[in-house]
Amino acid sequence: MSKTKEEILNQLYISSKDLKILIPTYGIDKCRTIIKEVRDEMHEKKYYVPISKPKLALTRLVRKKLGI
């Protein structure tokens, strides 16, 4: 069962698949690119960047970047 948009927005971290659920018009590659950009931003700001598969980024930074 897939997650609801509200569940995704309340998570601490978001994956590219979650982002695809939030914004279905984006392709999976665009979602991965956004996650990568936010992870780079997290690294610059000295935030914890989780080492995981799938790659995760802070949901609040993704929301800020995309204006959600």
Side-chain angles (χ1 to χ4, degrees), residues 23-40:
I23 310 171
T25 55
Y26 282 7
I28 193 68
D29 289 334
K30 180 160 177 123
C31 292
R32 285 187 185 124
T33 303
I34 291 167
I35 295 293
K36 184 185 180 314
E37 288 170 2
V38 172
R39 284 173 64 92
D40 292 342

Side-chain angles (χ1 to χ4, degrees), residues 14-55:
I14 189 170
S15 70
S16 52
K17 282 184 182 176
D18 292 340
L19 189 54
K20 178 89 175 111
I21 293 168
L22 282 181
I23 310 171
T25 55
Y26 282 7
I28 193 68
D29 289 334
K30 180 160 177 123
C31 292
R32 285 187 185 124
T33 303
I34 291 167
I35 295 293
K36 184 185 180 314
E37 288 170 2
V38 172
R39 284 173 64 92
D40 292 342
E41 183 185 336
M42 288 165 61
H43 194 72
E44 286 170 22
K45 291 182 176 180
K46 306 267 190 276
Y47 290 159
Y48 172 72
V49 180
I51 299 167
S52 63
K53 284 204 175 193
K55 296 208 180 302

Side-chain angles (χ1 to χ4, degrees), residues 9 14 19 22-23 62-68:
L9 292 174
I14 189 170
L19 189 54
L22 282 181
I23 310 171
V62 174
R63 289 179 70 172
K64 190 170 138 189
K65 181 178 181 68
L66 299 175
I68 299 174

